[in-house]
Amino acid sequence: MAKVPGSVIAAGGLVGGYGVARWTEKRQLGGVVLAAAGASAAQQWRQAAGGKAAAALTAAYVAAFAGSHPLAKKVGAWPSVCAVAGAVALASWAVADRRA
């Protein structure tokens, strides 16, 4: 069975976490999705590129989540989430996924 790349997991976690939080109106449930995807992506990153790269990409994942909030005030919620998800996916591909 083929592995799902960390870039896909991370982007899916950001988009899915926001979607779950919005549609269920339970922010904690969205946080669970976000955290589970982040942990899974970090495991993929560690296997593909090592601990330092995984730590840096995990920090980028958390920063993207935090940064999406002020960005949403300027461009809207969904465009903000999609933009940060794309940025994290690109960083993940560049650092870890293209090696695999």
Side-chain angles (χ1 to χ4, degrees), residues 8-45:
V8 174
I9 296 170
L14 288 162
V15 172
Y18 174 69
V20 167
R22 182 171 178 133
W23 291 318
T24 65
E25 297 180 359
K26 296 186 186 319
R27 294 178 70 180
Q28 299 85 352
L29 192 55
V32 169
V33 172
L34 182 77
S40 180
Q43 182 179 6
Q44 293 282 2
W45 295 329

Side-chain angles (χ1 to χ4, degrees), residues 61-95:
Y61 183 77
V62 172
F65 168 70
S68 70
H69 292 84
L71 182 60
K73 292 179 181 179
K74 296 181 188 278
V75 300
W78 278 113
S80 172
V81 170
C82 290
V84 299
V88 168
L90 182 62
S92 174
W93 177 81
V95 173

